[in-house]
Amino acid sequence: MWLFGLLACLVAAGLAGLGTWQLQRRAWKHDLVARVDARLQAAPVPAPTDCAPACEPYTRVFVSGLFAHDRETLVQAVTEAGAGFWVLTPLMAEGGTILINRGFVPRDRRDPATRAAGQVAGPVRVTGLLRLSEPGGAFLRANDPAAGRWYSRDVAAIAADRGLSRVAPYFVDADATPNPGGLPQGGLTVVAFPDNHLVYALTWFALAAMVLGATAYVLRDARRRAGARSA
């Protein structure tokens, strides 16, 4: 029975280790949320021309330039406004090209001709949130540039498909500043970080306690039976 007890203790230690790891993850997540909240509350800064050493996601930025509406890309989206598309439009800025997620349009307004007022000509200034590229596609759905089907905002793939050069390796989610005609609708970025780490930690600790409790019961019962046989 000593081997059984040893194995049970090892299992319990492993479960307790997982619980401790979840508590560490919880501390990391809370620090991340605090840093993102600080960026969201900060004044916008000029959009960087590169990401050296690294761009901080959800930084408020601004950039000026000209929209290349003829090279916009529609990315499938589900938002609080319903199902439709994100409109990603290249902004030709002084330091290069930046993809701007101008906002949401419903399915029946995917054709730019149905929202012509929003196809702004001339210099513009965009304020929004810096977002990291989303390469590959969405869950179980790969981007298909040849068919014009996009499920994620993959900056490099969109730039290649649209023949863009000197493109920043991120995109910018435009804020809620209204566009002429009301579309695209910006300001729909959802900033949320799941935080279930405490629940997971308590679950692992509870399992560890159950293993130890069950082991103690089994060993105690084994000793009782052994004592009864020897009596």
Side-chain angles (χ1 to χ4, degrees):
M1 295 299 292
W2 67 269
L3 182 58
F4 169 78
L6 177 61
L7 291 175
C9 288
L10 290 175
V11 170
L15 294 171
L18 289 172
T20 301
W21 174 68
Q22 285 294 338
L23 291 179
Q24 294 170 345
R25 291 279 297 171
R26 181 173 183 265
W28 169 83
K29 180 67 67 65
H30 285 192
D31 177 67
L32 171 65
V33 170
R35 287 187 282 115
V36 169
D37 283 344
R39 291 177 215 144
L40 294 175
Q41 299 302 320
V45 298
T49 56
D50 58 34
C51 281
C55 287
E56 295 285 0
Y58 302 109
T59 297
R60 295 184 67 212
V61 298
F62 65 86
V63 61
S64 298
L66 296 171
F67 279 128
H69 295 293
D70 60 327
R71 300 189 188 185
E72 76 174 25
T73 298
L74 299 179
V75 180
Q76 292 198 26
V78 177
T79 73
E80 62 185 41
F85 302 92
W86 298 122
V87 178
L88 266 70
T89 306
L91 183 74
M92 306 306 182
E94 182 177 347
T97 302
I98 297 177
L99 280 183
I100 306 296
N101 177 15
R102 299 188 64 210
F104 171 82
V105 294
R107 296 187 184 280
D108 61 352
R109 304 293 292 278
R110 65 177 298 167
D111 186 344
T114 66
R115 43 184 169 86
Q119 305 297 90
V120 182
V124 296
R125 172 176 161 133
V126 176
T127 301
L129 297 178
L130 185 152
R131 301 291 307 278
L132 301 182
S133 180
E134 302 166 345
F139 180 67
L140 297 179
R141 295 185 298 181
N143 291 326
D144 186 356
R149 287 194 289 268
W150 297 91
Y151 303 102
S152 72
R153 292 161 290 191
D154 186 334
V155 172
I158 291 174
D161 183 64
R162 292 294 184 258
L164 302 172
S165 60
R166 298 176 61 207
V167 181
Y170 60 84
F171 64 93
V172 174
D173 273 352
D175 65 13
T177 301
N179 286 304
L183 292 175
Q185 181 183 352
L188 295 179
T189 306
V190 176
V191 183
F193 298 94
D195 184 9
N196 299 314
H197 299 294
L198 182 59
V199 173
Y200 295 152
L202 293 176
T203 300
W204 289 122
F205 288 138
L207 289 173
M210 291 171 61
V211 168
L212 291 176
T215 302
Y217 174 82
V218 170
L219 293 177
R220 186 166 55 249
D221 186 65
R223 285 197 297 268
R224 181 183 61 79
R225 291 175 180 273
R229 286 195 299 267
S230 62

